[in-house]
Amino acid sequence: MVNRPLPVELLAPARDADTGIAAINAGADAVYIGAARFGAREAAGNPLEDIERLIAYAHRYWARVYVTVNTLLYDEELDEARSLIWKLYEIGADALIIQDIGLLELDLPPLALFASTQMHNHTPERVRFLEQAGFSRVILARELTLEQIRQIRAQTSIELEGFIHGALCVSYSGQCYLSYALGGRSGNRGQCAQPCRRLYSLYGADGQAVVQNRYLLSLKDLNLSDHLQDLLEAGITSFKIEGRLKDRAYVMNVVAAYRQRLDALLDGERFRKASSGDSRVDFSPDLRKTFNRGFTTYFLKGRDPQMASPFTPKSVGEPLGKVVKVWKDGCVLEDGAPEVHAGDGICYLDGDNVLQGTVVLKVQGNRLWLEKMEGLQRGALMFRNHDRLFLQQLEKSRTERKIAVQFTLREDPQGMLLRAEDEDGNFAESVWHGKITPALNPDRMLETFQRQISSLGGTEFTCGGIRVLLATVPFLPVQAINSLRREVVERLRAERLRNFPRMARQRAEDGVRFPAERLSFEGNVLNRLARQFYLRHGVREIESAAEAGLDMRGRKVMTTRFCLRYQLGACPKQKNPVRLPEPLYLEDELGNRLSLRFRCAECVMEIYYEGNARVKEVSDDILYRKGK
């Protein structure tokens, strides 16, 4: 049996159809996009006609479009969700990314199902269950190590998708209820208010502040660009870029950067690209030059001690180096700093570690004249978070993607035949019917054949070569050659669409038991069909999801491998740990109080919502004035 190379997919986000098309042109093998409703990014929904336009474009390159319907659903929404999914199937969507397990109880079309990372896919047992339940792919939890990914791969055969770039949720995905607890906006309903990017103060048992006014739950962005080979070897075959709210420039830059790195690893023997064509990028991609909070590898090869971004939740961009001199109108950067231009946006931390931003007015070597200089000090590390020239280049980019086609011109009993065969082995033929007469100038006629056949204009094809198999070079009018070319290209396009490799819905196995008999509210069971599904698979006790209206005071609202003890040097496993006045709690600017608990054996921090301290003070004051 011949082992065929595994298709490896670079998967990009699409906030809308145009961003998705830009991602495909830059080299994405697939894109994921939100439907008009029920997506985990409520602000990134798209109408069916736009998704259909994106699908039509993607399928030209044998690229795929996955649609997110990955929120928890109320009972009254199930029929609407079913109807939406059937419409997505009818317009040609390749797969559906879902979180709510109740959807499996519906009469769904034969669309491939992907288990969203919101389903907390973090153990071999959970992943194996999803494989047996009928999913085609599992999107793994972001916080997994390479070794954990290897263990999942060793015990399952389902496709594994992993995040490689973009924003990180500090909580286990699908297990964060903080936004819902604080303001009723549920991340599992696509409405996260991002409370992890807020300012917090950390207090000890004595009520004294340990840390004040810092972004204590904010993380840097994931960047695994140097670890793609490791991920391939561990079993990942879909490499996912986060960012369905990101703009076209970000998506183009990040996709192009990862396309170049991934292509260098695809040998054609073990691994191959999952789609067709090569991207022609007219800029030099640089991951530092579009939105980022600084980069981390998170837990891929063990805990990254620099994963936190406590001083800002905003983009800092590209490091420029240290400030070596400050004067009233600007500063001087250290030698070796990247070239800066007037109009660039730069930022830095002032003496109080507060992020400040300004615009460059004038540049002379390493000397920068700045619009404002609030808190700028010698020794500050400068960043560029708006590279004017780079972003202009991306805006004007005419990046395109082309599929190589080999043409053969030969005689036919009915006239002259032109054959076109693409890089995937699809072919089409077209015949010019007419009397063949020898060309008076064979060399010039051959040049005309080459020029006109290779003139593929604005199509998705490019000429990879032309073979002319003729005993005698015939004369053909230019119009006839052009007609042959146009016809064979249209037939080849139709043949490619006919042979497009569709994804199949996996058949669910009978009698599969879920790897737990009890589900707390963290099981995210919000509707009757989800409850029905789990009961059918051996779960005996089911608590309703938080979004059913649970009072979250006193409940766990986040579980995370990020640990504030570790960040502050107080982890018992660290050498000479700092002693903190525990128990610890966080309080945000609005007075919301979160208590911290640590499961050190598992290196996990849990956060519990204790209510709003200021609301309690107001309530107590009212009771006192009423004489109670």
Side-chain angles (χ1 to χ4, degrees):
M1 181 178 177
V2 178
N3 288 325
R4 295 182 177 180
L6 281 173
V8 174
E9 177 182 274
L10 178 59
L11 176 57
R15 67 187 297 175
D16 53 34
D18 290 337
T19 305
I21 288 170
I24 290 164
N25 287 341
D29 298 301
V31 296
Y32 61 103
I33 187 169
R37 293 210 57 199
F38 310 127
R41 295 289 185 274
E42 190 176 56
N46 291 273
L48 284 169
E49 54 268 28
D50 285 3
I51 298 174
E52 186 173 21
R53 176 165 63 92
L54 173 59
I55 290 168
Y57 189 84
H59 285 184
R60 290 185 180 185
Y61 300 93
W62 283 11
R64 291 184 167 130
V65 176
Y66 310 137
V67 185
T68 62
V69 183
N70 58 339
T71 61
L72 300 184
L73 301 167
Y74 290 106
D75 281 319
E76 59 269 24
E77 295 172 327
L78 290 168
D79 285 343
E80 184 182 354
R82 176 189 175 279
S83 176
L84 173 63
I85 291 168
W86 272 98
K87 289 174 183 175
L88 291 169
Y89 170 70
E90 288 162 3
I91 65 172
D94 294 291
L96 200 67
I97 301 172
I98 69 170
Q99 176 186 9
D100 198 315
I101 203 77
L103 289 172
L104 272 67
E105 298 291 282
L106 291 171
D107 173 29
L108 295 182
L111 259 177
L113 299 179
F114 293 175
S116 170
T117 191
Q118 296 294 112
M119 298 184 80
H120 192 32
N121 307 319
H122 70 301
T123 65
E125 293 77 20
R126 288 182 72 96
V127 174
R128 186 166 55 248
F129 172 78
L130 293 171
E131 179 178 6
Q132 294 168 332
F135 284 88
S136 301
R137 179 185 295 182
V138 163
I139 305 168
L140 295 177
R142 292 170 173 89
E143 61 274 358
L144 295 180
T145 66
L146 268 176
E147 181 54 36
Q148 288 173 315
I149 295 171
R150 291 190 191 104
Q151 290 174 8
I152 290 172
R153 175 70 299 154
Q155 298 180 46
T156 63
S157 59
I158 193 171
E159 286 185 15
L160 300 181
E161 179 181 307
F163 285 92
I164 54 170
H165 198 89
L168 286 165
C169 292
V170 66
S171 173
Y172 287 170
S173 294
Q175 305 289 285
C176 184
Y177 309 93
L178 184 55
S179 178
Y180 179 72
L182 297 184
R185 292 177 57 180
S186 166
N188 286 324
R189 294 276 297 160
Q191 302 163 341
C192 181
Q194 294 192 306
C196 56
R197 304 294 184 186
R198 284 186 189 174
L199 283 168
Y200 289 93
S201 293
L202 179 68
Y203 295 94
D206 55 5
Q208 299 299 306
V210 178
V211 181
Q212 282 191 302
N213 294 326
R214 290 289 178 256
Y215 299 94
L216 294 175
L217 297 178
S218 183
L219 299 180
K220 294 178 180 178
D221 288 354
L222 187 66
N223 180 343
L224 301 183
S225 57
D226 291 332
H227 303 281
L228 302 183
Q229 181 72 52
D230 295 325
L231 290 165
L232 269 175
E233 299 292 343
I236 300 295
T237 53
S238 178
F239 293 80
K240 186 171 196 170
I241 298 165
E242 183 277 337
R244 276 198 295 124
L245 296 178
K246 295 294 196 299
D247 60 20
R248 176 178 174 273
Y250 175 90
V251 171
M252 286 178 62
N253 180 41
V254 176
V255 169
Y258 276 94
R259 181 75 272 162
Q260 291 178 2
R261 288 176 177 258
L262 202 53
D263 281 348
L265 304 177
L266 304 182
D267 54 16
E269 296 181 3
R270 295 178 60 201
F271 305 109
R272 64 172 178 83
K273 188 165 64 172
S275 62
S276 309
D278 290 316
S279 295
R280 301 173 178 181
V281 178
D282 56 2
F283 61 92
S284 297
D286 188 333
L287 295 172
R288 303 168 301 172
K289 288 183 178 291
T290 43
F291 188 103
N292 72 84
R293 301 176 176 91
F295 291 127
T296 176
T297 55
Y298 206 25
F299 287 93
L300 188 72
K301 291 194 170 182
R303 182 183 297 273
D304 178 1
Q306 304 299 320
M307 68 174 67
S309 178
F311 301 119
T312 178
K314 299 178 180 178
S315 175
V316 293
E318 174 188 13
L320 297 177
K322 288 185 177 180
V323 173
V324 296
K325 183 180 179 181
V326 176
W327 81 94
K328 66 183 182 69
D329 295 321
C331 67
V332 179
L333 294 178
E334 63 185 335
D335 291 341
E339 187 176 357
V340 181
H341 304 94
D344 285 353
I346 59 174
C347 58
Y348 53 89
L349 294 175
D350 64 17
D352 295 321
N353 281 323
V354 174
L355 189 73
Q356 303 290 347
T358 186
V359 176
V360 178
L361 301 176
K362 177 183 171 183
V363 179
Q364 190 176 80
N366 283 5
R367 297 172 68 86
L368 311 181
W369 281 258
L370 305 175
E371 185 177 68
K372 58 182 182 178
M373 299 174 53
E374 189 172 346
L376 181 59
Q377 297 180 346
R378 184 174 178 271
L381 185 59
M382 189 76 77
F383 296 84
R384 172 166 49 194
N385 56 6
H386 181 87
D387 189 325
R388 181 177 62 86
L389 295 184
F390 182 75
L391 293 175
Q392 284 180 356
Q393 190 178 12
L394 286 178
E395 185 65 31
K396 296 175 182 177
S397 171
R398 296 192 174 275
T399 293
E400 59 182 6
R401 182 166 175 171
K402 297 292 183 179
I403 302 165
V405 177
Q406 295 286 334
F407 291 94
T408 303
L409 185 66
R410 68 170 186 261
E411 292 182 23
D412 182 84
Q414 301 179 47
M416 192 67 60
L417 181 144
L418 182 64
R419 176 188 171 98
E421 183 171 351
D422 68 21
E423 59 192 56
D424 299 302
N426 301 290
F427 67 90
E429 296 178 342
S430 182
V431 177
W432 178 76
H433 299 275
K435 184 178 179 181
I436 303 298
T437 58
L440 297 177
N441 189 330
D443 290 340
R444 182 175 296 176
M445 195 69 240
L446 286 174
E447 290 175 3
T448 301
F449 283 141
Q450 294 280 344
R451 182 177 63 252
Q452 299 306 124
I453 292 173
S454 62
S455 181
L456 294 168
T459 72
E460 64 270 33
F461 301 111
T462 186
C463 181
I466 301 172
R467 293 188 302 167
V468 179
L469 306 179
L470 299 169
T472 301
V473 178
F475 170 77
L476 257 71
V478 169
Q479 296 92 329
I481 303 172
N482 290 343
S483 178
L484 261 180
R485 183 200 66 234
R486 284 193 296 267
E487 187 173 277
V488 80
V489 164
E490 284 302 317
R491 290 180 177 180
L492 181 61
R493 181 179 290 130
E495 186 67 11
R496 286 183 58 80
L497 290 176
R498 196 160 31 246
N499 294 333
F500 178 77
R502 302 279 175 184
M503 301 187 76
R505 172 84 173 271
Q506 297 299 308
R507 181 182 174 276
E509 298 179 20
D510 295 327
V512 180
R513 296 185 68 82
F514 186 73
E517 291 190 351
R518 180 185 181 278
L519 288 176
S520 71
F521 72 91
E522 293 174 290
N524 295 329
V525 178
L526 188 57
N527 58 67
R528 58 182 174 79
L529 293 186
R531 182 177 298 272
Q532 178 178 299
F533 175 90
Y534 283 119
L535 290 173
R536 274 201 310 112
H537 290 84
V539 179
R540 296 183 178 180
E541 186 179 344
I542 301 173
E543 183 180 24
S544 294
E547 292 79 5
L550 296 187
D551 183 350
M552 298 306 292
R553 285 174 298 181
R555 290 181 180 267
K556 182 169 57 175
V557 292
M558 185 185 292
T559 306
T560 174
R561 293 192 68 186
F562 173 73
C563 181
L564 283 170
R565 257 187 183 172
Y566 182 91
Q567 293 300 125
L568 297 171
C571 172
K573 299 177 184 179
Q574 291 172 307
K575 187 176 181 180
N576 301 319
V578 174
R579 293 180 65 89
L580 296 177
E582 299 192 25
L584 302 172
Y585 66 92
L586 294 170
E587 192 170 301
D588 70 11
E589 296 172 289
L590 301 176
N592 293 301
R593 182 171 293 186
L594 309 171
S595 64
L596 306 181
R597 303 180 192 177
F598 302 92
R599 301 203 320 249
C600 293
E602 304 164 59
C603 280
V604 164
M605 181 175 77
E606 296 177 336
I607 298 178
Y608 287 73
Y609 176 54
E610 304 299 348
N612 188 294
R614 296 178 194 173
V615 170
K616 184 177 186 303
E617 288 169 8
V618 171
S619 300
D620 288 348
D621 183 57
I622 292 172
L623 290 173
Y624 174 77
R625 283 187 278 117
K626 286 184 176 181
K628 295 183 180 180

